[in-house]
Amino acid sequence: MSQTQRAFNLNESQYAEPRRQYVQGPSVNTRRITKGEKLLWVLAGTAVFLFAALMVTNQARLYMTSRDIQVLQDKLSNQSKVTQQLKADSDSLSSPDRIVKFAETKLGLKLDINNVKVLP
C-alpha cells in the first residue's frame, strides 16, 4: 500500500466512526447565598432603616421647635403692642395739663405759681 492509500484509509477510518460531541445547554450558575452574606444584607438594611428613622425624628423635632419659636414670637409681638399701648396711655394720663385740670375740677385745688417750688 502506498502512502497515499494509507492516508486515504486513515481519513476514511476517522470519518467512518463519527465522534460524538455532547452539546450542553446554557449552564445556569445557581449561586447560593451564604449565611454571612444574608447577615450582612440584614445588617445593612437595618442600618439604612435606623438612619432613615433618625432623620425623620430629627426633622420632626426641628418642626416642633420651629413651631414653638413662632408661637413665642407671636406672643412677644402681641405683648410689645400691649406695652406700647399702655405706655401711650401712661403718657397721656401723666401730662401736666391733665393733672392741673383734674386737681382744679375734682379736688378743688388752685395753681399758685408763686407757691411752686422746683426740685433739682
Side-chain angles (χ1 to χ4, degrees):
M1 221 189 262
S2 71
Q3 193 175 13
T4 333
Q5 288 175 345
R6 274 192 224 147
F8 184 72
N9 288 337
L10 182 63
N11 284 341
E12 279 183 4
S13 66
Q14 284 180 353
Y15 290 115
E17 207 176 294
R19 290 187 183 175
R20 292 188 178 180
Q21 293 181 352
Y22 295 101
V23 178
Q24 294 180 349
S27 65
V28 178
N29 188 6
T30 57
R31 184 173 172 248
R32 244 184 95 205
I33 299 174
T34 63
K35 289 181 183 178
E37 289 175 337
K38 286 180 186 178
L39 178 66
L40 287 176
W41 280 107
V42 167
L43 288 176
T46 304
V48 167
F49 177 75
L50 289 177
F51 283 130
L54 183 65
M55 286 174 44
V56 168
T57 304
N58 284 340
Q59 287 296 324
R61 285 183 190 166
L62 285 173
Y63 174 75
M64 296 292 281
T65 304
S66 174
R67 191 183 66 182
D68 290 343
I69 288 171
Q70 186 65 37
V71 167
L72 289 174
Q73 285 177 344
D74 290 343
K75 284 182 181 180
L76 180 66
S77 67
N78 288 340
Q79 191 62 36
S80 68
K81 287 178 185 177
V82 168
T83 303
Q84 287 176 353
Q85 182 64 34
L86 290 175
K87 187 173 181 180
D89 290 345
S90 171
D91 289 343
S92 69
L93 290 175
S94 66
S95 69
D97 294 334
R98 183 187 172 281
I99 293 173
V100 169
K101 185 178 176 183
F102 183 78
E104 288 177 353
T105 58
K106 300 284 182 182
L107 300 175
L109 300 174
K110 293 191 179 200
L111 179 63
D112 187 11
I113 300 289
N114 294 331
N115 201 13
V116 175
K117 294 184 181 177
V118 179
L119 299 174

